[in-house]
Amino acid sequence: MNDLLGFEPDARLLIVNSDDFGMHRAINDAVVRSIEEGISGSCSLMAPCPGAEHAMGLLRDRPEIPFGIHLTLVCDTPRRRWGPLTAKEEVPSLLDAAGELFTPDRVPELLAQARLDEVEREFRAQIAAVADAGLAPTHLDWHCLADGGRADVFDLTVALAQEYGLAVRAWLDPARQKVRARGLPVVDHEFLDSFRLELDGKAATYARLLREVPVGLSEWAVHPGLGDEDARAIEPDGWRVRRTDYEFLTSPEAREILRSEGIVVLDYRVLQELWGERRAPWSPLTSCNACCLVMRCRRLAAVDRRLRGTPVRGFDADYAWSPVSGL
């Protein structure tokens, strides 16, 4: 992978991506600080969440921060719920008997009943929300669904990524092998999810894992949060994971280990460029320029809304009837 990415064979490359950006403000503020003051290099935005508008405002004010879209089909904060961006009557297979998004513990039920066309409708709505905000993401990944949870959902996401000129996070071996077979870059090593780390001695565990980062490309999905009073009310258990992540990511120790070990922190812009070079021939996108990407995402989103019968007004109406190959 190092050669494909343009690095020396012995380079130790690490993506430190802060997930769950947009869930609520205490997470948003911690994510930005973890990137600007710490070792995190990028983040992933949850468009349906209560803090998404605040998060998108932070990104508009900081165009240098690379971010992906954390495609979201579950809600894991019962005390502050969110729903799909698509009207609920258009995506009934994504909802439980009460008409709400499933919680993470019920993901098997969601995956058993979710219709692929409704998954696509909701994923497109989330991409459109980001494009409508004038933002240019680098990649797609998923919230609480490793590689989308199903092979067909993963394949759908790859198709959407190619359509919109983005990269995709691939976590498990089957998905990584599938992506590599197409000559596209993915991580070389086991994926780290910070929610799987023990809280006791977590800083020491992080320090050890950072020193042990192997040659090649690795990725850590971290979940920084400030753990303030509001966050503790929203996530009575999860806030501790987030606070301990935040403390290590912004610590002098973390920065010193990176420096002394010569580890290179990357983000998905490098991967996005290569995914763009290998884009399927039918894709309408031909440039990774950020401004052009925003305009094309908005055009594709406007076409998609027009085809579904949703009114398209103002700026985006100019693009709603643009001929787009492959749609």
Side-chain angles (χ1 to χ4, degrees):
M1 192 57 62
N2 286 22
D3 182 62
L4 184 61
L5 295 174
F7 288 88
E8 293 297 322
D10 61 349
R12 300 158 71 191
L13 312 174
L14 178 62
I15 294 173
V16 183
N17 191 82
S18 293
D19 287 6
D20 299 352
F21 192 49
M23 188 178 284
H24 54 75
R25 282 186 174 238
I27 290 176
N28 295 349
D29 292 338
V31 166
V32 169
R33 293 183 197 177
S34 296
I35 294 172
E36 294 184 336
E37 304 170 17
I39 68 167
S40 181
S42 57
C43 59
S44 291
L45 170 69
M46 299 176 70
C49 292
E53 184 175 353
H54 175 245
M56 288 190 278
L58 293 173
L59 290 173
R60 278 193 295 271
D61 292 340
R62 297 164 175 81
E64 72 280 2
I65 291 182
F67 76 98
I69 301 176
H70 207 42
L71 296 167
T72 303
L73 297 179
V74 300
C75 177
D76 44 350
T77 58
R79 301 188 184 194
R80 189 169 298 179
R81 296 198 63 85
W82 61 80
L85 292 184
T86 310
K88 288 185 175 182
E89 59 269 20
E90 295 186 22
V91 288
S93 74
L94 306 185
L95 308 176
D96 63 17
E100 303 290 347
L101 290 177
F102 286 88
T103 51
D105 60 307
R106 299 179 63 196
V107 161
E109 296 176 63
L110 166 65
L111 295 176
Q113 73 177 46
R115 289 176 42 140
L116 191 63
D117 61 325
E118 294 181 13
V119 173
E120 178 177 1
R121 190 171 296 129
E122 177 59 20
F123 281 2
R124 285 187 181 276
Q126 294 180 24
I127 296 170
V130 174
D132 287 347
L135 298 170
T138 59
H139 70 283
L140 301 175
D141 56 43
W142 305 266
H143 180 61
C144 295
L145 295 173
D147 296 339
R150 286 188 345 209
D152 59 343
V153 175
F154 180 81
D155 292 342
L156 164 67
T157 307
V158 170
L160 290 173
Q162 294 222 297
E163 182 177 324
Y164 287 95
L166 308 173
V168 173
R169 169 194 279 172
W171 180 352
L172 304 175
D173 281 339
R176 285 159 55 188
Q177 292 171 10
K178 185 179 294 186
V179 172
R180 287 195 190 105
R182 300 174 64 174
L184 295 168
V186 290
V187 294
D188 293 304
H189 307 293
E190 185 176 352
F191 189 90
L192 183 145
D193 178 350
S194 69
F195 263 88
R196 298 187 175 190
L197 299 179
E198 295 289 338
L199 288 174
D200 291 342
K202 190 176 184 181
T205 299
Y206 263 138
R208 175 180 59 80
L209 292 172
L210 200 52
R211 292 189 179 97
E212 294 175 354
V213 167
V215 169
L217 179 63
S218 304
E219 181 172 0
W220 290 7
V222 294
H223 302 84
L226 297 181
D228 59 15
E229 184 177 351
D230 188 47
R232 297 180 189 201
I234 297 170
E235 296 184 278
D237 298 319
W239 73 266
R240 293 180 177 85
V241 175
R242 300 183 189 280
R243 178 67 196 184
T244 50
D245 276 10
Y246 171 70
E247 289 171 350
F248 181 78
L249 293 169
T250 57
S251 68
E253 180 185 16
R255 292 191 293 274
E256 173 57 25
I257 293 173
L258 282 182
R259 186 199 65 77
S260 63
E261 295 288 333
I263 298 167
V264 179
V265 174
L266 299 180
D267 59 72
Y268 269 90
R269 285 175 294 191
V270 178
L271 280 70
Q272 180 190 15
E273 182 176 354
L274 291 167
W275 277 68
E277 289 175 358
R278 291 158 175 79
R279 189 176 297 123
W282 49 262
S283 173
L285 301 180
T286 57
S287 171
C288 288
N289 177 273
C291 179
C292 292
L293 178 59
V294 170
M295 299 294 285
R296 288 172 174 137
C297 282
R298 295 185 72 172
R299 182 183 69 186
L300 288 164
V303 172
D304 186 62
R305 291 197 298 276
R306 177 77 78 184
L307 292 175
R308 291 191 288 109
T310 304
V312 183
R313 301 183 177 90
F315 176 87
D316 289 333
D318 295 336
Y319 296 90
W321 293 111
S322 299
V324 180
S325 172
L327 289 181

